[in-house]
Amino acid sequence: ARLEETVKKTVAENPVVVYSKTWCSYSSEVKALFKKFGVEPLVIELDELGAQGPQLQKILERLTGQHTVPNVFIGGKHIGGCTDTVKLHRKGELESLVETATKK
Amino acid sequence: ARLEETVKKTVAENPVVVYSKTWCSYSSEVKALFKKFGVEPLVIELDELGAQGPQLQKILERLTGQHTVPNVFIGGKHIGGCTDTVKLHRKGELESLVETATKK
Ligand SMILES: N[C@@H](CCC(=O)N[C@@H](CS)C(=O)NCC(=O)O)C(=O)O
Ligand SMILES: N[C@@H](CCC(=O)N[C@@H](CS)C(=O)NCC(=O)O)C(=O)O
Ligand code: FES
C-alpha cells in the first residue's frame, strides 16, 4: 500500500509523469514528444529501480489496467501509452491538457 | 563459431529475416509493415530462445554492429532496425529489395 500511495502522490503532484524503460524506443518517442514543446515530464525509469521496477509496474497495472511502458499521466489523469499520447498530440489536445495541468 | 554460422546461413537462405523481441513495439511495427505488403519474413524472437537469445544478439552485434531489435536482413543484406526499414519503405525501395530477394 506504501508503494501505491507513492505512485498516487507522484502523479497528483507532478503535471506530467512518464513511467518508462531506458532502452525502449516507444518510451523515448514519448519523452521526445514532450521535449519538443518544451515540457519536462517527471520520468521514472522502471528498469533502473531494481526490484521496485516490477513492483511499480504491477501497481500501475492495478491502477490503470496498463502493464506496458511508456505509461503517461497528465494532471493526475491516466493518458495511456505512446500511441495514445501521439494521437492526442495529432488532435491538438495534448498541449492544452499539459497547460491546464501545469497551471494547477 | 557454430552459432555464427547458423546466423549467416539463416540470412543467406531466407529472403527476409527479422530478429525480434515479442514484447517490443518497434519489432511489432516492422513485422506489421512486411505483412502489409504480403511478405512473410522469417521471424526469430530472441526472448523465446533462453540463453541463446543474448548469444545471438552478441553475434548480430559482431556481424552488423547493431545490438538492438528489430534487426532486419533482406536478401542476405543487413538493412538495420525499424526506422531504417520504414525509411526504405517511404522511399519506395523496400518492395523492390524484397522482390529481388524473393526471386533469388
Ligand atoms: N500501444 C502501446 C504499446 C505499449 C507496449 O506494448 N509496450 C511494450 C514495450 S514497447 C511493453 O511494455 N511490453 C512489455 C509487455 O508487453 O509485457 C503504446 O503505444 O504505448
Ligand atoms: N532506431 C532503432 C532503435 C532500436 C532500439 O533502440 N531498439 C531497442 C528496443 S525498442 C533495443 O533493442 N534496446 C536494447 C538496448 O538498447 O540495449 C530502430 O528503429 O530499430
Ligand atoms: S521495447 Fe521496443 S519499442 Fe519499446
Side-chain angles (χ1 to χ4, degrees):
Chain A
R2 216 171 47 66
L3 209 53
E4 190 161 313
E5 287 320 308
T6 336
V7 171
K8 284 185 182 157
K9 200 162 167 308
T10 303
V11 298
E13 292 179 357
N14 294 282
V16 182
V17 180
V18 175
Y19 290 90
S20 161
K21 286 187 181 165
T22 56
W23 37 260
C24 165
S25 301
Y26 261 35
S27 297
S28 309
E29 273 192 23
V30 144
K31 288 183 272 187
L33 179 60
F34 285 118
K35 250 204 197 98
K36 225 168 72 185
F37 52 98
V39 173
E40 283 292 339
L42 175 69
V43 174
I44 295 158
E45 300 290 1
L46 294 173
D47 59 320
E48 296 190 326
L49 303 173
Q52 265 206 353
Q55 287 169 0
L56 274 173
Q57 255 190 300
K58 276 213 190 64
I59 288 166
L60 287 167
E61 181 160 21
R62 226 180 20 245
L63 292 175
T64 67
Q66 182 186 326
H67 71 279
T68 56
V69 286
N71 202 333
V72 180
F73 294 79
I74 299 178
K77 209 173 126 262
H78 179 237
I79 299 295
C82 174
T83 40
D84 306 304
T85 310
V86 169
K87 253 187 223 138
L88 281 176
H89 177 59
R90 291 227 177 99
K91 290 194 290 189
E93 294 172 12
L94 194 63
E95 286 78 337
S96 52
L97 272 173
V98 171
E99 258 168 53
T100 327
T102 350
K103 282 208 197 85
K104 269 189 192 166
Chain B
R2 214 173 46 68
L3 209 53
E4 187 160 317
E5 286 320 308
T6 335
V7 171
K8 285 184 181 158
K9 198 162 172 294
T10 304
V11 299
E13 291 180 0
N14 294 281
V16 183
V17 180
V18 177
Y19 290 90
S20 162
K21 286 188 182 164
T22 56
W23 36 262
C24 164
S25 301
Y26 261 36
S27 298
S28 310
E29 273 192 22
V30 142
K31 288 183 271 188
L33 178 60
F34 285 120
K35 245 199 202 101
K36 225 167 70 185
F37 52 99
V39 173
E40 282 292 340
L42 174 69
V43 175
I44 296 158
E45 302 288 2
L46 294 173
D47 59 318
E48 296 190 327
L49 302 172
Q52 267 207 352
Q55 288 169 359
L56 276 174
Q57 259 190 299
K58 277 212 187 66
I59 288 166
L60 287 167
E61 182 162 17
R62 229 187 7 253
L63 292 175
T64 67
Q66 181 186 325
H67 70 279
T68 55
V69 285
N71 202 333
V72 179
F73 295 79
I74 298 178
K77 205 170 132 268
H78 179 237
I79 299 295
C82 174
T83 41
D84 306 306
T85 311
V86 168
K87 254 186 225 142
L88 280 175
H89 178 57
R90 292 230 177 96
K91 290 192 296 193
E93 292 172 15
L94 193 64
E95 287 78 335
S96 53
L97 271 173
V98 170
E99 258 167 52
T100 329
T102 344
K103 283 210 198 85
K104 270 189 190 167

